Amino acid sequence: MSTPDLGGVVVATALPYREDASAPAGLAVDYDAYAAHCRWLVDNGCRGVGPNGSLGEYSSLTDEERRRVARTAIETVGDDGIVVVGVHGPGSHQAKYWAEVAAEDGADGLLCLPPTMYRANRGEVLAHFEAVASVGLPVMVYNNPIDTKVDLTPALLAEIAQIDNVVAVKEFSGDVRRVLEIREQAPGLDVISGADDVVLESLLMGATGWFAGFPNVFPAESVRLFDLARSGKLDEARALYEPLVAAFRWDSRTEFVQAIKLGMDLVGRYGGPCRPPRGPLTEEHREQVTADMRRALASLGVA
């Protein structure tokens, strides 16, 4: 049996809200707008979508909202793409629960951080992923040492890769040297670029996917960048990539959700506000995101 593939451009989807005084923080999830956004991404060539990631503000959702968001993506995308559901949780029992729910609802794969809110050791990390993978769906483990304080090093990934159903790693350390090192130490594990501002470098070193933030703003152009890089058309890929990198860098900053949502607003999509703890951008940040986005859009001929 072939190994399940979670590669290609899979968009970590931003989540739209509408004002509703009865909802948490006065913001209700706009499921219709979210469905339309998922459809737009797939129709513009993206391989699939990833609901309930950090960009999707999963930690600010109620349990009911979190499940309905994933279901909305699964029902909307259907057979036209893949849906890789975030199942992050403080402990393995929570993450496994979300994996079971995602499997029931028809997800194609799972994205899973190490235990959140706790700096887990090697044995705890392995046990966490073993529990999630036992559900049976393909699992993409997520290395984000900046936020989790747990680093899935190439050596640790070599161990994690031995767990049945673990097929890929979303690599967000920002260290492009790791792409080759992971491929050397865990050759059966697909490396997926997790940080937009090193995506070209990662793809040139052998990453097979991009679990992406800024394709929420310009999906078709992002797919073109991915295809150029994967086909070795370096000059064309660089010409497309370099004017976008200033905007892409916001994907690796604390305000990445707000920045990407502002980018969506600037291209005529709906980004809108975030739920707490995320507040609005400072005026300085708003001006910088706007400038970086306008430069990117000018280079794409859509400004």
Side-chain angles (χ1 to χ4, degrees):
M1 190 175 82
S2 63
T3 302
D5 171 24
L6 301 181
V9 179
V10 177
V11 185
T13 44
L15 189 64
Y17 298 102
R18 54 180 174 78
E19 291 187 7
D20 182 340
S22 67
L27 295 170
V29 177
D30 190 332
Y31 297 101
D32 290 341
Y34 181 62
H37 184 56
C38 290
R39 186 74 251 168
W40 181 68
L41 295 172
V42 173
D43 286 348
N44 274 273
C46 296
R47 171 92 191 285
V49 298
N52 292 337
S54 302
L55 183 52
E57 301 177 69
Y58 78 92
S59 57
S60 298
L61 301 178
T62 67
D63 286 359
E64 180 183 359
E65 289 171 329
R66 184 169 173 177
R67 183 169 193 177
R68 188 173 169 189
V69 165
R71 276 181 169 168
T72 299
I74 292 163
E75 291 167 2
T76 300
V77 170
D79 295 329
D80 296 329
I82 62 173
V83 179
V84 183
V85 177
V87 297
H88 321 301
S92 57
H93 56 296
Q94 290 109 325
K96 184 179 179 183
Y97 165 77
W98 288 114
E100 290 169 341
V101 165
E104 287 175 17
D105 291 340
D108 298 289
L110 309 172
L111 177 69
C112 189
L113 285 165
T116 60
M117 300 168 60
Y118 173 68
R119 190 179 298 183
N121 63 30
R122 169 191 162 277
E124 292 161 344
V125 168
L126 290 170
H128 188 82
F129 290 131
E130 284 169 353
V132 170
S134 71
V135 172
L137 286 177
V139 176
M140 182 189 301
V141 301
Y142 183 1
N143 185 37
N144 186 344
I146 300 162
D147 291 330
T148 66
K149 311 304 180 190
V150 177
D151 191 0
L152 305 183
T153 62
L156 181 52
L157 285 169
E159 294 187 79
I160 294 169
Q162 301 305 309
I163 300 171
D164 286 346
N165 299 316
V166 172
V167 301
V169 56
K170 176 181 176 180
E171 170 47 39
F172 194 80
S173 70
D175 184 354
V176 295
R177 293 172 296 184
R178 291 215 173 170
V179 177
L180 284 176
E181 194 173 356
I182 293 166
R183 292 178 63 208
E184 291 163 5
Q185 297 203 34
L189 198 65
D190 287 340
V191 181
I192 309 299
S193 179
D196 291 356
D197 56 341
V198 290
V199 63
L200 179 57
E201 297 88 334
S202 299
L203 291 170
L204 293 175
M205 289 300 99
T208 58
W210 179 13
F211 209 101
F214 268 92
N216 280 285
V217 181
F218 19 71
E221 297 83 358
S222 298
V223 171
R224 181 165 176 264
L225 173 63
F226 178 86
D227 290 342
L228 288 171
R230 290 286 290 161
S231 59
K233 297 178 179 177
L234 180 55
D235 288 345
E236 291 177 70
R238 281 186 60 183
L240 179 56
Y241 179 60
E242 289 180 14
L244 306 181
V245 168
F248 281 2
R249 289 191 189 111
W250 287 96
D251 181 56
S252 298
R253 294 175 178 159
T254 302
E255 303 82 9
F256 72 107
V257 181
Q258 298 95 318
I260 288 170
K261 283 188 165 185
L262 175 56
M264 293 167 66
D265 290 333
L266 291 171
V267 297
R269 306 299 299 177
Y270 176 71
C274 298
R275 267 192 188 160
R278 291 180 174 89
L281 292 168
T282 65
E283 191 56 37
E284 179 184 2
H285 282 161
R286 174 172 285 274
E287 289 175 1
Q288 189 61 58
V289 172
T290 300
D292 293 340
M293 278 296 306
R294 294 207 186 286
R295 191 176 311 119
L297 294 172
S299 76
L300 297 173
V302 294

